[in-house]
Structures are given as C-alpha cells and as structure tokens.
Amino acid sequence: MTTKCKFCNSTSFGSGCYKSPHKHHEHNGMDEKHCLFCNSMSYGQGCFFGPSKTHCHGSGASKCVYCVSGSMGSGCLNSPPKNQER
C-alpha cells in the first residue's frame, strides 16, 4: 500500500516536507501496524521524525495509536498527553 504525506503529497518518509509545520512527512491512511512518521512497526520512543519523538500508528484496530492497548483514558506512557488515543 502506497501512502502519501498529508501536507505535500510525497511518498517519502522522514524530514524534508516543506509544507509541514514540523518539517517532517506525516502520512494519511497508514494502518495500525506502521508509524505515520517513519513507517516503522515499533511503538514508544525512538521515532526520529515524529514531533514528540514517539511512534504514532495509524488507526483502525480500535487500539491506542501510541501503545496498541485496547484501553481508553489515561495511562499511556507513550502518548505525549499520557492518554490513550485512537
């Protein structure tokens, strides 16, 4: 599946998006298995391209996009606001 940056329509990942406020490509349409910013399958800290340096996955599996938990509410250690987000 080929996705494109929501700001510049490029298929690239990482830095170099001249239209993004954080200068990094952010893809629409990513599945729950891949990070929106770097296409990695990892969760948590370590995304070099995400604004908060945290991997953020696409939605679609009714799980938190930052930690893959099925819970809702507070308690996500990976989310910048520390809340589960879908």
Side-chain angles (χ1 to χ4, degrees):
M1 171 173 79
T2 302
T3 61
K4 295 186 177 183
C5 175
K6 71 180 189 179
F7 297 106
C8 71
N9 216 28
S10 170
T11 56
S12 297
F13 283 89
S15 60
C17 180
Y18 59 95
K19 293 184 177 181
S20 164
H22 45 74
K23 305 298 181 211
H24 295 201
H25 298 288
E26 183 176 340
H27 285 236
N28 281 328
M30 294 299 289
D31 61 23
E32 68 278 359
K33 296 178 184 174
H34 296 93
C35 177
L36 303 173
F37 300 107
C38 69
N39 202 30
S40 169
M41 293 180 79
S42 299
Y43 283 87
Q45 296 294 314
C47 179
F48 296 110
F49 306 118
S52 64
K53 304 296 181 210
T54 303
H55 295 288
C56 180
H57 288 238
S59 59
S62 296
K63 296 180 180 178
C64 177
V65 296
Y66 290 103
C67 71
V68 84
S69 169
S71 300
M72 285 298 292
S74 62
C76 178
L77 299 176
N78 298 326
S79 166
K82 303 299 180 208
N83 293 322
Q84 309 286 342
E85 297 181 31
R86 293 188 182 173

